[in-house]
Amino acid sequence: MNSSTNYIQISGLSKSYRQGEENIPVLEDLNLVIPGNELVTLMGPSGSGKSTLLNILSAIESADSGQISVFGEELIGKTEDQLTLYRRTTIGIVFQFFHLLPYLSATDNVALPLFLNGMSKKRAKKEAESVLDLVGLGNRLKFSPKELSGGEKQRVAIARAIVHKPKLVLADEPTGNLDSKSSLQIMELFHKCVKDLGLSLFMVTHNPEMGKMGNTQIEMLDGKTKIR
Ligand code: ADP
Ligand code: MG
């Protein structure tokens, strides 16, 4: 793979929010190269624009200007249909509060995106079970979210984020709602996903303990970044 398809490259990225008459700049001419095939952590204080950056990479929010290339795919300028395809195939997303469907089993939560993408129910369930096994929940397949611990719920959410074999997983404060033991298990699982599945993982955290576990660590301050 050549280097231009191996990285997320961000150049001149700007984003501001309008609040009444005021324009509040959040990202100002951000330039960043994020290595692939590893766990990259983005740290920074609350309000520094971490979620904004992640939401732009997830194509949940749009940028005002700049360029973003994800594994050679230019994000800015894509049509809505192309962005939907990008969200369904290239990336997987993990949230702080899991966002699992409460009345579905772990298996069905993970199978749902495959099913919605046109896979048969039977095959989708089979794939879901195998990914749940990979995240260490082979003994929790039929459990519903309310029967799972916070750490287990997040592992189901990670299984859902990787079941369609994305290249890149974006996670916003994935350990923000977990105790320290479960948080460490999630970090170990992320490293396993990188090693065994060749995934690229970009994770936002305000917790320096978790941030330190990234192969590459990026700090964000007032819309500017520093790589360590
Ligand atoms: P972080 O994730 O680092 O805590 P955010 O990216 O969520 O930071 O927010 C950065 C700044 O942008 C904050 O000052 C926040 O108030 C502002 N902001 C975020 N989303 C919106 C929005 N939808 N409308 C207006 N301001 C927003
Ligand atoms: Mg945030």
Short mmCIF file of all heavy atoms in Angstrom, two decimals, residues 158-194:
data_model
loop_
_atom_site.label_atom_id
_atom_site.label_comp_id
_atom_site.label_asym_id
_atom_site.label_seq_id
_atom_site.Cartn_x
_atom_site.Cartn_y
_atom_site.Cartn_z
N ILE A 158 -18.49 -1.99 20.16
CA ILE A 158 -17.28 -2.13 19.33
C ILE A 158 -17.48 -3.22 18.29
O ILE A 158 -17.13 -3.07 17.12
CB ILE A 158 -16.05 -2.39 20.22
CG1 ILE A 158 -15.74 -1.13 21.05
CG2 ILE A 158 -14.83 -2.78 19.37
CD1 ILE A 158 -14.74 -1.36 22.19
N ALA A 159 -18.10 -4.34 18.72
CA ALA A 159 -18.40 -5.41 17.75
C ALA A 159 -19.26 -4.86 16.62
O ALA A 159 -19.03 -5.14 15.44
CB ALA A 159 -19.11 -6.56 18.46
N ARG A 160 -20.26 -4.05 16.98
CA ARG A 160 -21.13 -3.46 15.95
C ARG A 160 -20.35 -2.52 15.02
O ARG A 160 -20.61 -2.46 13.82
CB ARG A 160 -22.27 -2.68 16.63
CG ARG A 160 -23.23 -2.02 15.64
CD ARG A 160 -24.23 -1.15 16.34
NE ARG A 160 -23.57 -0.17 17.21
CZ ARG A 160 -24.20 0.58 18.10
NH1 ARG A 160 -25.49 0.48 18.26
NH2 ARG A 160 -23.52 1.45 18.83
N ALA A 161 -19.35 -1.83 15.60
CA ALA A 161 -18.57 -0.87 14.79
C ALA A 161 -17.60 -1.57 13.84
O ALA A 161 -17.14 -0.96 12.88
CB ALA A 161 -17.81 0.08 15.71
N ILE A 162 -17.25 -2.84 14.13
CA ILE A 162 -16.25 -3.51 13.28
C ILE A 162 -16.82 -4.65 12.44
O ILE A 162 -16.12 -5.22 11.62
CB ILE A 162 -15.04 -4.04 14.12
CG1 ILE A 162 -15.48 -5.14 15.09
CG2 ILE A 162 -14.35 -2.90 14.85
CD1 ILE A 162 -14.31 -5.75 15.88
N VAL A 163 -18.11 -4.95 12.63
CA VAL A 163 -18.67 -6.15 12.00
C VAL A 163 -18.67 -6.06 10.47
O VAL A 163 -18.59 -7.08 9.78
CB VAL A 163 -20.09 -6.45 12.57
CG1 VAL A 163 -21.13 -5.46 12.05
CG2 VAL A 163 -20.51 -7.88 12.27
N HIS A 164 -18.74 -4.84 9.93
CA HIS A 164 -18.76 -4.70 8.47
C HIS A 164 -17.35 -4.50 7.92
O HIS A 164 -17.18 -4.14 6.76
CB HIS A 164 -19.67 -3.53 8.07
CG HIS A 164 -19.25 -2.22 8.67
ND1 HIS A 164 -19.34 -1.95 10.01
CD2 HIS A 164 -18.71 -1.11 8.11
CE1 HIS A 164 -18.88 -0.73 10.25
NE2 HIS A 164 -18.48 -0.20 9.11
N LYS A 165 -16.35 -4.78 8.76
CA LYS A 165 -14.93 -4.72 8.36
C LYS A 165 -14.50 -3.36 7.80
O LYS A 165 -14.00 -3.25 6.67
CB LYS A 165 -14.62 -5.83 7.34
CG LYS A 165 -14.92 -7.23 7.87
CD LYS A 165 -14.49 -8.30 6.89
CE LYS A 165 -14.62 -9.68 7.48
NZ LYS A 165 -16.01 -10.08 7.82
N PRO A 166 -14.69 -2.32 8.60
CA PRO A 166 -14.23 -0.99 8.16
C PRO A 166 -12.72 -0.92 8.23
O PRO A 166 -12.08 -1.74 8.88
CB PRO A 166 -14.86 -0.06 9.20
CG PRO A 166 -14.93 -0.89 10.45
CD PRO A 166 -15.21 -2.29 9.98
N LYS A 167 -12.13 0.08 7.56
CA LYS A 167 -10.68 0.28 7.66
C LYS A 167 -10.36 1.08 8.90
O LYS A 167 -9.29 0.96 9.47
CB LYS A 167 -10.19 1.08 6.45
CG LYS A 167 -10.18 0.33 5.17
CD LYS A 167 -9.47 1.20 4.13
CE LYS A 167 -9.96 0.88 2.75
NZ LYS A 167 -9.74 1.94 1.80
N LEU A 168 -11.29 1.97 9.26
CA LEU A 168 -11.02 2.95 10.31
C LEU A 168 -12.16 2.94 11.33
O LEU A 168 -13.32 2.94 10.96
CB LEU A 168 -10.93 4.35 9.67
CG LEU A 168 -10.88 5.55 10.58
CD1 LEU A 168 -9.56 5.59 11.34
CD2 LEU A 168 -11.05 6.84 9.78
N VAL A 169 -11.78 2.90 12.61
CA VAL A 169 -12.78 3.04 13.67
C VAL A 169 -12.53 4.34 14.41
O VAL A 169 -11.40 4.63 14.81
CB VAL A 169 -12.77 1.84 14.64
CG1 VAL A 169 -13.64 2.12 15.86
CG2 VAL A 169 -13.27 0.59 13.93
N LEU A 170 -13.58 5.14 14.56
CA LEU A 170 -13.51 6.43 15.24
C LEU A 170 -14.27 6.31 16.55
O LEU A 170 -15.43 5.87 16.56
CB LEU A 170 -14.14 7.51 14.36
CG LEU A 170 -13.45 7.71 13.01
CD1 LEU A 170 -14.37 8.40 12.02
CD2 LEU A 170 -12.16 8.49 13.17
N ALA A 171 -13.62 6.65 17.65
CA ALA A 171 -14.25 6.47 18.96
C ALA A 171 -14.16 7.75 19.77
O ALA A 171 -13.07 8.29 19.99
CB ALA A 171 -13.58 5.32 19.71
N ASP A 172 -15.32 8.26 20.22
CA ASP A 172 -15.36 9.51 20.99
C ASP A 172 -15.57 9.18 22.47
O ASP A 172 -16.65 8.75 22.85
CB ASP A 172 -16.49 10.40 20.48
CG ASP A 172 -16.35 11.84 20.98
OD1 ASP A 172 -15.49 12.10 21.84
OD2 ASP A 172 -17.12 12.70 20.51
N GLU A 173 -14.54 9.35 23.27
CA GLU A 173 -14.59 9.08 24.72
C GLU A 173 -15.17 7.69 25.01
O GLU A 173 -16.09 7.55 25.83
CB GLU A 173 -15.43 10.15 25.45
CG GLU A 173 -15.01 11.58 25.21
CD GLU A 173 -13.88 12.05 26.12
OE1 GLU A 173 -13.33 11.23 26.90
OE2 GLU A 173 -13.51 13.24 26.04
N PRO A 174 -14.64 6.64 24.37
CA PRO A 174 -15.25 5.32 24.53
C PRO A 174 -15.16 4.77 25.95
O PRO A 174 -15.90 3.87 26.32
CB PRO A 174 -14.45 4.43 23.57
CG PRO A 174 -13.14 5.12 23.42
CD PRO A 174 -13.45 6.59 23.50
N THR A 175 -14.23 5.32 26.75
CA THR A 175 -14.11 4.85 28.14
C THR A 175 -14.68 5.88 29.12
O THR A 175 -14.55 5.73 30.32
CB THR A 175 -12.64 4.56 28.50
OG1 THR A 175 -11.90 5.79 28.43
CG2 THR A 175 -12.01 3.55 27.55
N GLY A 176 -15.31 6.93 28.58
CA GLY A 176 -15.76 8.04 29.41
C GLY A 176 -16.81 7.67 30.44
O GLY A 176 -17.01 8.39 31.41
N ASN A 177 -17.49 6.56 30.21
CA ASN A 177 -18.57 6.16 31.11
C ASN A 177 -18.25 4.85 31.83
O ASN A 177 -19.14 4.19 32.34
CB ASN A 177 -19.85 6.02 30.28
CG ASN A 177 -21.09 6.27 31.10
OD1 ASN A 177 -21.07 7.12 32.00
ND2 ASN A 177 -22.14 5.53 30.84
N LEU A 178 -16.95 4.48 31.85
CA LEU A 178 -16.57 3.17 32.40
C LEU A 178 -15.61 3.31 33.57
O LEU A 178 -14.86 4.29 33.66
CB LEU A 178 -15.89 2.33 31.30
CG LEU A 178 -16.70 2.08 30.02
CD1 LEU A 178 -15.86 1.27 29.04
CD2 LEU A 178 -18.01 1.36 30.33
N ASP A 179 -15.61 2.31 34.46
CA ASP A 179 -14.63 2.30 35.55
C ASP A 179 -13.25 1.97 34.97
O ASP A 179 -13.13 1.60 33.80
CB ASP A 179 -15.04 1.30 36.63
CG ASP A 179 -15.15 -0.11 36.09
OD1 ASP A 179 -14.22 -0.57 35.38
OD2 ASP A 179 -16.17 -0.77 36.35
N SER A 180 -12.22 2.11 35.82
CA SER A 180 -10.87 2.02 35.25
C SER A 180 -10.54 0.61 34.75
O SER A 180 -9.85 0.46 33.75
CB SER A 180 -9.82 2.50 36.26
OG SER A 180 -9.93 1.78 37.44
N LYS A 181 -11.07 -0.42 35.42
CA LYS A 181 -10.77 -1.79 34.97
C LYS A 181 -11.40 -2.05 33.59
O LYS A 181 -10.73 -2.55 32.67
CB LYS A 181 -11.30 -2.80 35.99
CG LYS A 181 -10.92 -4.21 35.69
CD LYS A 181 -11.25 -5.16 36.83
CE LYS A 181 -11.15 -6.60 36.36
NZ LYS A 181 -12.35 -7.39 36.64
N SER A 182 -12.66 -1.68 33.43
CA SER A 182 -13.32 -1.86 32.13
C SER A 182 -12.66 -1.00 31.06
O SER A 182 -12.55 -1.41 29.90
CB SER A 182 -14.80 -1.49 32.20
OG SER A 182 -15.43 -2.13 33.25
N SER A 183 -12.21 0.19 31.46
CA SER A 183 -11.54 1.08 30.50
C SER A 183 -10.29 0.41 29.95
O SER A 183 -10.04 0.44 28.74
CB SER A 183 -11.15 2.40 31.17
OG SER A 183 -12.30 3.09 31.59
N LEU A 184 -9.51 -0.19 30.85
CA LEU A 184 -8.28 -0.86 30.40
C LEU A 184 -8.60 -2.03 29.47
O LEU A 184 -7.89 -2.26 28.49
CB LEU A 184 -7.46 -1.34 31.60
CG LEU A 184 -6.78 -0.22 32.39
CD1 LEU A 184 -6.06 -0.79 33.62
CD2 LEU A 184 -5.77 0.53 31.50
N GLN A 185 -9.69 -2.75 29.77
CA GLN A 185 -10.08 -3.87 28.90
C GLN A 185 -10.44 -3.36 27.50
O GLN A 185 -10.13 -4.00 26.50
CB GLN A 185 -11.27 -4.62 29.51
CG GLN A 185 -10.86 -5.47 30.70
CD GLN A 185 -12.06 -6.07 31.43
OE1 GLN A 185 -13.20 -5.64 31.23
NE2 GLN A 185 -11.80 -7.05 32.28
N ILE A 186 -11.09 -2.21 27.46
CA ILE A 186 -11.45 -1.63 26.15
C ILE A 186 -10.18 -1.25 25.38
O ILE A 186 -10.05 -1.52 24.18
CB ILE A 186 -12.37 -0.40 26.33
CG1 ILE A 186 -13.73 -0.80 26.92
CG2 ILE A 186 -12.56 0.36 25.01
CD1 ILE A 186 -14.57 -1.73 26.08
N MET A 187 -9.20 -0.66 26.09
CA MET A 187 -7.96 -0.27 25.43
C MET A 187 -7.22 -1.50 24.90
O MET A 187 -6.67 -1.49 23.80
CB MET A 187 -7.06 0.52 26.39
CG MET A 187 -7.64 1.83 26.88
SD MET A 187 -8.17 2.96 25.58
CE MET A 187 -6.59 3.51 24.96
N GLU A 188 -7.22 -2.58 25.71
CA GLU A 188 -6.60 -3.83 25.26
C GLU A 188 -7.30 -4.37 24.01
O GLU A 188 -6.66 -4.84 23.08
CB GLU A 188 -6.66 -4.89 26.37
CG GLU A 188 -5.54 -4.74 27.38
CD GLU A 188 -5.79 -5.56 28.65
OE1 GLU A 188 -6.55 -6.55 28.59
OE2 GLU A 188 -5.24 -5.17 29.70
N LEU A 189 -8.63 -4.29 24.04
CA LEU A 189 -9.40 -4.76 22.88
C LEU A 189 -9.06 -3.94 21.63
O LEU A 189 -8.90 -4.49 20.54
CB LEU A 189 -10.90 -4.69 23.20
CG LEU A 189 -11.86 -5.07 22.08
CD1 LEU A 189 -11.59 -6.48 21.57
CD2 LEU A 189 -13.31 -4.95 22.56
N PHE A 190 -8.92 -2.63 21.80
CA PHE A 190 -8.55 -1.78 20.66
C PHE A 190 -7.20 -2.20 20.09
O PHE A 190 -7.03 -2.31 18.88
CB PHE A 190 -8.51 -0.30 21.09
CG PHE A 190 -9.87 0.36 21.15
CD1 PHE A 190 -10.04 1.56 21.84
CD2 PHE A 190 -10.97 -0.19 20.52
CE1 PHE A 190 -11.28 2.19 21.89
CE2 PHE A 190 -12.22 0.43 20.57
CZ PHE A 190 -12.37 1.61 21.26
N HIS A 191 -6.24 -2.44 20.98
CA HIS A 191 -4.92 -2.88 20.50
C HIS A 191 -5.02 -4.23 19.78
O HIS A 191 -4.34 -4.46 18.78
CB HIS A 191 -3.93 -2.97 21.67
CG HIS A 191 -3.31 -1.63 22.00
ND1 HIS A 191 -2.48 -0.95 21.12
CD2 HIS A 191 -3.41 -0.83 23.09
CE1 HIS A 191 -2.10 0.20 21.66
NE2 HIS A 191 -2.65 0.30 22.85
N LYS A 192 -5.89 -5.10 20.28
CA LYS A 192 -6.09 -6.40 19.63
C LYS A 192 -6.69 -6.21 18.23
O LYS A 192 -6.31 -6.90 17.27
CB LYS A 192 -7.01 -7.26 20.51
CG LYS A 192 -7.32 -8.62 19.95
CD LYS A 192 -8.15 -9.43 20.93
CE LYS A 192 -8.92 -10.51 20.19
NZ LYS A 192 -9.62 -11.44 21.02
N CYS A 193 -7.65 -5.29 18.11
CA CYS A 193 -8.27 -5.02 16.80
C CYS A 193 -7.23 -4.52 15.80
O CYS A 193 -7.26 -4.87 14.62
CB CYS A 193 -9.37 -3.97 16.94
SG CYS A 193 -10.84 -4.55 17.77
N VAL A 194 -6.31 -3.68 16.28
CA VAL A 194 -5.26 -3.17 15.41
C VAL A 194 -4.36 -4.32 14.97
O VAL A 194 -4.07 -4.48 13.78
CB VAL A 194 -4.42 -2.09 16.15
CG1 VAL A 194 -3.16 -1.75 15.37
CG2 VAL A 194 -5.27 -0.83 16.36
#
